[in-house]
DNA sequence: TATCGACATGACCATTTGGTCAACTCCGTT
DNA sequence: AACGGAGTTGACCAAATGGTCATGTCGATA
């Protein structure tokens, strides 16, 4: 294994991957307490002892998953400035967040389950990094409102609106499938929802939509960013 | 006890209430599997045996809580018709749903946890009653769009938008508190969020806002409805 | 061939799980 | 005073929980 860290993953990396995927699913379904190592092991197709051998403990596994999800989230974030175009920024945010939801629904649900139980493992992150990120964004939004580029809405509520509206399609997938009578949310649904959200939210905030003619430079930038 | 079913609750009713409240909290935090009868009993201040004596089993308790939450939801629902005013209806929906979130955050979280695990106990409801309710609403929205009373947005996505944006303030309370650095969401926050959502969503759908001068007939109707 | 470290896993452990049960108190009726 | 049903609860059970450990297998190096 020391001799090869080449394209083909070593045994360790391969098994850890399998375990992480399985665990993300089980934790997302049942939360931290409700998930059992046995269930994760079965989902991974490995004996329980083997799972513990790789991940150390249930707690470490859970933390590793949360960290992976937060790093995906961080990789999605842009810095923005007052000089940027409000329409482009808002639309970019909506599209990025929606893409995150689409690509990592399990991770999104894992995050939701963690927050539902009071975010015991994410207190620090929420009160630190994320809070500052939101405040920075909020300041810019307020500046835009002052300049008359958008309605003077509460910028924090606006961020939460985008967050919730996109997150919903992962967390409440079961409800959406039940109601729309589909068996899965496909590319076309995600596209349709994204367009809808861009329309309603931008218009609702009095932001003129960014020029939308085919996939723009902006959109490609987002795509390449999200390809972790 | 047979002789008195007067104002003062009997022992049974009183204890069942205590247990339901405690259980709603624990189930909302940890989901069905993650909640233990022991934890519920401690939260209720009763011995485990006593809890089981009243509710029969963990499963029955969980189902009872879901049913209570769905009945609260049903009690909130209006029938609407094409002749109603789109602004009034949309605003009424947002306000009602927000009030439900505010009054029953535990119940909202319980519902979220249930849906997160794939809604095993609510399949029937989602595919039946709720689906029909959404479809009926959607038809009316489409009719309004045809008449030019609102933008031709996908009515189902619109319903989900309202659902998610309001639900968020219960389910992600921990995140919101962490980010806004508050310790609780109070009446003023809920009011502020509600006004924000009404503004953005109505404007975003191209619906002219209903005449808003103080608490209207409409608003009082909603209030009295929600007083279960 | 012997050795070593990564990988694999069944046996096992203390604790907790949901649930049962028998014994008990308490109080209104006879 | 005797009875009976609602309420109360500790003792108990089999099963599942997270985690440890000893015993392996296997392939690369010496």
């Amino acid at each position: 294994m020391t001799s090869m860290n080449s394209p083909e993953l070593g045994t360790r990396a391969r098994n850890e991957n399998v375990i992480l995927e399985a665990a993300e699913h089980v934790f997302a379904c049942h939360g931290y307490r409700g998930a059992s190592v046995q269930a994760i092991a079965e989902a991974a197709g490995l004996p329980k002892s083997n799972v513990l051998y790789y991940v150390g403990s249930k707690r470490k596994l859970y933390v590793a998953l949360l960290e992976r999800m937060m790093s995906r989230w961080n990789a999605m974030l842009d810095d923005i400035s007052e000089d940027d175009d409000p329409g482009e920024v808002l639309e970019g945010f909506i599209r990025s967040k929606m893409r995150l939801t689409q690509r990592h629904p399990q991770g999104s649900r894992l995050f939701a389950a963690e927050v539902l139980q009071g975010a015991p493992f994410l207190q620090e992150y929420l009160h630190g990094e994320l809070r500052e990120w939101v405040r920075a964004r909020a300041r810019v939004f307020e500046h835009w409102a002052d300049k008359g580029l958008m309605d003077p809405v509460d910028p924090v509520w606006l961020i939460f609106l985008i967050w919730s509206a996109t997150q919903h399609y992962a967390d409440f997938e079961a409800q959406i499938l039940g109601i729309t009578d589909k068996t899965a949310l496909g590319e076309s649904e995600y596209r349709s929802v994204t367009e809808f959200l861009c329309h309603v939210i931008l218009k609702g905030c009095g932001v003129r939509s960014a020029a939308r003619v085919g996939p723009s430079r902006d959109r490609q930038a987002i795509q390449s960013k999200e390809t972790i």
Side-chain angles (χ1 to χ4, degrees), chain A:
Chain A
M1 205 207 92
T2 331
S3 61
M4 66 97 150
N5 38 9
S6 329
E8 318 88 345
L9 301 150
T11 323
R12 171 149 220 120
R14 191 177 352 105
N15 280 341
E16 275 178 350
N17 264 353
V18 172
I19 292 169
L20 285 178
E21 290 315 301
E24 195 169 51
H25 176 238
V26 177
F27 278 126
C29 264
H30 301 292
Y32 179 71
R33 297 210 41 181
S36 80
V37 179
Q38 180 64 48
I40 293 169
E42 274 162 25
L46 294 170
K48 190 179 65 157
S49 315
N50 210 346
V51 171
L52 269 320
Y53 167 73
Y54 280 111
V55 300
S57 74
K58 181 183 176 181
R59 171 177 289 255
K60 283 182 193 167
L61 175 54
Y62 185 71
V63 170
L65 284 170
L66 281 182
E67 278 169 359
R68 186 171 74 158
M69 195 57 206
M70 294 339 277
S71 81
R72 287 173 184 157
W73 164 256
N74 285 331
M76 198 198 72
L77 303 184
D78 280 327
D79 265 349
I80 64 169
S81 101
E82 299 166 353
D83 305 323
D84 289 330
D85 176 68
E88 265 184 39
V89 168
L90 278 186
E91 221 181 284
F93 184 28
I94 294 170
R95 290 184 190 280
S96 301
K97 184 70 176 52
M98 200 70 199
R99 204 178 306 269
L100 191 67
T101 290
Q102 181 181 6
R103 293 203 183 163
H104 305 290
Q106 308 281 14
S108 293
R109 285 191 277 265
L110 174 77
F111 179 82
E114 162 67 10
V115 178
L116 259 185
Q117 58 166 331
F121 292 86
L122 288 181
Q123 282 300 323
E124 206 187 335
Y125 178 76
L126 295 183
H127 280 86
E129 266 185 87
L130 191 56
R131 190 176 133 209
E132 287 318 309
W133 182 85
V134 168
R135 298 214 163 173
R137 284 297 245 236
R139 268 192 298 273
V140 175
F141 289 4
E142 265 160 9
H143 194 85
W144 286 340
D146 289 343
K147 287 205 285 181
L149 294 174
M150 63 184 289
D151 296 348
V153 296
D154 186 314
V156 175
W157 297 160
L158 175 56
I159 291 171
F160 288 155
L161 173 61
I162 295 173
W163 194 305
S164 63
T166 51
Q167 183 86 18
H168 190 74
Y169 288 86
D171 305 347
F172 286 72
E173 193 179 19
Q175 185 190 16
I176 291 162
L177 294 178
I179 286 173
T180 60
D181 215 25
K182 293 186 163 42
T183 54
L185 291 178
E187 177 62 28
S188 68
E189 279 81 24
Y190 277 104
R191 209 193 312 272
S192 153
V193 168
T194 305
E195 297 313 316
F196 165 79
L197 290 179
C198 286
H199 171 91
V200 172
I201 293 176
L202 267 69
K203 181 172 179 178
C205 298
V207 172
R208 80 176 189 308
S209 181
R212 299 235 356 70
V213 186
S216 63
R217 175 198 58 74
D218 167 56
R219 192 179 191 169
Q220 289 176 354
I222 292 161
Q223 277 187 337
S224 65
K225 268 219 123 181
E226 232 298 295
T227 310
I228 306 295

